[in-house]
Amino acid sequence: MKKLINNPEDVVRENLAGMAVAHPDIIKVHFEPNFIYRADAPIQDKVAIVSGSGSGHEPLYNGCVGYGMLDAACPGEVFTAPTPDQMLEAAKIVNSGSGVLYLVNNYSGDVMNYEMAAELAMSEGIRVLNIIIDDDVAVKDSLYTQGRRGVGTSVLAAKICGAAAEAKYDLKQIAELTRKVNLNGRSMGMALTSCITPQKGTPLFDLGDNEIEFGIGIHGEPGRERLPLKTADEITEMMALSIIEDSAYKRVLREWDEDKEEWTDIELIDPPLASGDSVLAFVNGMGGTPLPELYIVYRKLAEICEKKGLKIVRNLVGSYITSLEMQGCSITLLKMDDELIKLWDAPVNTVSFRWGM
Amino acid sequence: MKKLINNPEDVVRENLAGMAVAHPDIIKVHFEPNFIYRADAPIQDKVAIVSGSGSGHEPLYNGCVGYGMLDAACPGEVFTAPTPDQMLEAAKIVNSGSGVLYLVNNYSGDVMNYEMAAELAMSEGIRVLNIIIDDDVAVKDSLYTQGRRGVGTSVLAAKICGAAAEAKYDLKQIAELTRKVNLNGRSMGMALTSCITPQKGTPLFDLGDNEIEFGIGIHGEPGRERLPLKTADEITEMMALSIIEDSAYKRVLREWDEDKEEWTDIELIDPPLASGDSVLAFVNGMGGTPLPELYIVYRKLAEICEKKGLKIVRNLVGSYITSLEMQGCSITLLKMDDELIKLWDAPVNTVSFRWGM
């Protein structure tokens, strides 16, 4: 294993220490339990949004903390869910009294720990709602997931819901918006290579010299199938069509019912994309993919969207939700409307997202 | 070779095509000869800055075209200097009559071609000055270079000089500023792994499982020495001290003398960094390095700078001048003063740099 690290067990802490010293104008870091929060938190009269999953997906979520996006991010160990005490302490620091939204990616460990954290926070008088992102069309049920995994849409949800919080949406409105973003978003990924976690020290999985993993998860979880290497255009078309031709997906997600004061299963169905829809097209690198390859994919994706009657009204191209140094990419299409466009365009100032100010 | 490409010979063109369709608000792309230019070019009463080197270093320079940075970028084939016709045609499109600065990285092919382009442009009545960046302290003379190579400082020069152009510095003033940035900047890089160019299809060089190349160039050119793998802290210290303890460096660079109307060798000496200096600290990933590793390096770098009496007043952490998917990093320290800080902070709106607007 060749990495720019000291001890594998210090990677997360030293990363946070580096971020703290590099960006004191934007973030502060709390250690033990570990979380990053807005330097100016808590923000009065604003719902706080807290997210975070395993480390190794940077810049998500650490780079997303700041004005117009997340109030706090809780990084777990690499590819490991953060713990409830991280989530609880983060909520306590960023809550201004307007409540906290836990933005949760659909991995069993994350879902369970955020539920536990929400209960702990509520027992301390903090109003909390948990909303789950499950946008990966690749597989239903996976190594660490029941139902679909949460991938690229979580980046977009953090931006859009963060802007809504700045615009003074209340907690229920932000929860509703987050559900809408989740239902409007669909993703599909693939890998050319594996990655090596600092703890394991060897590749998470093996791919032959001419193989790709189609439908990969962001922790190397197996995808739909292992295929021979194809051209970028062929791979892009397969990914794009998996998303565009995906049928309505009915999921059951657990949310806190504030009236009944209990966790409740709610059924949510995302309608398929249809000709005439406006979309945000997000081409994401898995970490080790050179930027030109992402633009080669984007080029083909734009062509396919046009053919299918989808109008790309916004885009994002770059490595935002990664799997360490994995080579590969994912595509996310998020159906947009005027509200989502306005919130996407709103000013943001985090370590990795900065515009409009 | 596993890459998200179609044909190796189409990589540069398809990358440009993808950028064109993704960012029409910021850039336009010209094909044959290939270059990217500001969508709103030419800008009246503003010096135009044109740069570009071999492809494979993205987001430099393609992602640096836009308000407050470059007016045009000329991408060569991967790791190959662009041709004079690219540079000439770019200059013709972006020149508003206030002249053009060619910002040139010190590689023999680039230097030669930009000189030829300058002569062609001048013969068409465009006022042009060429300024060279040669900031790499690793080696004197290298595979593709006489003298020191141009690396990380070129990113910073593009930002700072681009802001100066917006602030209506004239051509001579921008040339003088670019010289100052070059003399104030020092860089040092290292690689954990090689990269694979689409053309060659196999690794550019071989590194053992426990080896690093210390002082690597951005095209895999050999560095100072091949060393056993060390910790991030040890590597950071070696890089930082190479820069901080570098003595005054005297170089002879060819520039156009407008009075004599001929190319003239000018001698330039950069004073060493000294305790009390303010610096911009730039930790750059070579492409395949996960962001947390860069922050682990930054953390140690900040500690060393503090010990050495260097005050970090600004920073940049990310993969900005890359070598495709190479794993490794470089450090650049740029001595700052009030003028440079003001220009660094000025608004910018390119594909990869966006702040203040």
Side-chain angles (χ1 to χ4, degrees), chain B residues 26 38 40 65-70 162 166 346-350 353 357:
Chain B
I26 301 178
R38 272 178 70 157
D40 54 354
V65 176
Y67 178 88
M69 219 161 168
L70 300 178
E166 298 294 349
V348 62
N349 188 30
T350 73
F353 286 82
M357 58 196 298

Side-chain angles (χ1 to χ4, degrees), chain A residues 1-6 10-19 21-24 56 58-59 190-193 207-212 229-235 239 287-299 302 315 317 324-325 327-329 351-352 354-357, chain B residues 1-6 10-19 21-24 56 58-59 190-193 207-212 229-235 239 287-299 302 315 317 324-325 327-329 351-352 354-357:
Chain A
M1 173 177 66
K2 298 212 283 190
K3 290 180 181 293
L4 286 166
I5 63 173
N6 294 300
D10 295 332
V11 165
V12 172
R13 191 178 54 76
E14 291 183 352
N15 172 33
L16 295 180
M19 291 193 72
V21 67
H23 309 295
E58 291 75 11
M190 56 77 58
L192 293 162
T193 64
L207 271 179
D209 281 348
N210 282 300
E211 278 183 331
I212 63 171
L229 181 61
K230 296 170 186 295
T231 66
D233 282 0
E234 289 167 333
I235 290 169
M239 287 196 292
T289 301
L291 202 47
E293 298 183 26
L294 301 183
Y295 280 105
I296 289 172
V297 168
Y298 185 85
R299 173 194 127 273
N315 60 53
V317 182
L324 296 168
E325 72 280 4
Q327 287 180 262
C329 77
V351 169
S352 302
R354 199 171 169 189
W355 62 70
M357 56 194 301
Chain B
M1 174 177 64
K2 298 211 282 189
K3 291 182 181 294
L4 286 166
I5 63 175
N6 293 299
D10 295 333
V11 166
V12 172
R13 190 178 54 76
E14 291 183 352
N15 173 32
L16 295 180
M19 291 192 73
V21 68
H23 309 294
E58 290 74 10
M190 58 76 59
L192 292 164
T193 64
L207 270 179
D209 281 347
N210 282 301
E211 277 184 331
I212 62 170
L229 181 60
K230 295 171 186 298
T231 66
D233 282 0
E234 289 167 335
I235 290 169
M239 288 197 289
T289 300
L291 201 47
E293 298 184 25
L294 301 182
Y295 279 106
I296 290 172
V297 168
Y298 184 85
R299 173 194 128 274
N315 61 53
V317 182
L324 296 168
E325 72 280 4
Q327 288 180 261
C329 77
V351 170
S352 301
R354 198 171 170 189
W355 61 70
M357 58 196 298

Side-chain angles (χ1 to χ4, degrees), chain A residues 18-303:
Chain A
M19 291 193 72
V21 67
H23 309 295
D25 50 326
I26 300 177
I27 53 162
K28 287 184 183 162
V29 174
H30 186 283
F31 292 99
E32 294 179 21
N34 295 338
F35 57 90
I36 292 182
Y37 61 106
R38 274 179 70 158
D40 55 354
I43 314 299
Q44 290 311 311
D45 302 320
K46 192 186 85 68
V47 171
I49 304 182
V50 175
S51 193
S53 187
S55 291
H57 308 302
E58 291 75 11
L60 192 73
Y61 293 84
N62 294 344
C64 302
V65 176
Y67 179 90
M69 217 162 169
L70 300 179
D71 291 82
C74 307
E77 288 302 309
V78 174
F79 294 176
T80 303
T83 53
D85 61 323
Q86 295 176 264
M87 304 158 181
L88 171 65
E89 294 305 319
K92 282 160 73 172
I93 282 194
V94 299
N95 176 45
S96 70
S98 301
V100 173
L101 183 93
Y102 281 147
L103 182 63
V104 184
N105 255 346
N106 194 34
Y107 299 95
S108 303
D110 292 77
V111 170
M112 189 178 71
N113 288 357
Y114 275 105
E115 283 188 11
M116 211 179 298
E119 289 177 9
L120 291 168
M122 287 189 282
S123 77
E124 299 203 22
I126 301 173
R127 191 175 163 211
V128 180
L129 290 177
N130 290 19
I131 302 290
I132 294 170
I133 302 292
D134 65 339
D135 63 316
D136 186 349
V137 304
V139 286
K140 178 150 172 29
D141 301 334
S142 175
L143 208 49
Y144 310 113
T145 323
Q146 289 190 336
R148 287 183 169 177
R149 300 174 293 217
V151 287
T153 298
S154 54
V155 179
L156 311 179
K159 169 67 186 81
I160 289 168
C161 300
E166 298 293 350
K168 307 295 186 210
Y169 282 44
D170 69 21
L171 184 57
K172 264 200 185 309
Q173 290 170 322
I174 294 183
E176 185 55 39
L177 175 70
T178 313
R179 264 179 228 115
K180 171 172 146 181
V181 171
N182 184 41
L183 296 181
N184 279 15
R186 282 180 161 81
S187 299
M188 182 76 184
M190 56 77 58
L192 293 162
T193 64
S194 177
C195 60
I196 296 174
T197 61
Q199 285 72 18
K200 186 158 184 277
T202 54
L204 277 192
F205 57 94
D206 292 308
L207 271 179
D209 281 348
N210 282 300
E211 278 183 331
I212 63 171
E213 181 78 32
F214 186 70
I216 191 92
I218 54 171
H219 315 93
E221 309 97 301
R224 280 194 189 173
E225 50 185 335
R226 195 158 282 199
L227 299 170
L229 181 61
K230 296 170 186 295
T231 66
D233 282 0
E234 289 167 333
I235 290 169
T236 304
E237 185 161 15
M238 286 179 67
M239 287 196 292
L241 295 185
S242 295
I243 293 169
I244 296 169
E245 296 175 353
D246 186 51
S247 47
Y249 171 64
K250 184 168 79 180
R251 74 269 278 168
V252 176
L253 297 174
R254 260 162 72 91
E255 292 188 10
W256 182 255
D257 186 314
E258 290 192 304
D259 297 325
K260 295 186 191 160
E261 297 197 341
E262 63 184 23
W263 295 100
T264 309
D265 286 341
I266 62 161
E267 198 177 285
L268 294 167
I269 301 177
D270 54 354
L273 284 164
S275 180
D277 282 349
S278 293
V279 295
L280 184 156
F282 173 23
V283 174
N284 174 64
M286 290 294 191
T289 301
L291 202 47
E293 298 183 26
L294 301 183
Y295 280 105
I296 289 172
V297 168
Y298 185 85
R299 173 194 127 273
K300 183 66 181 176
L301 175 63
E303 185 190 307

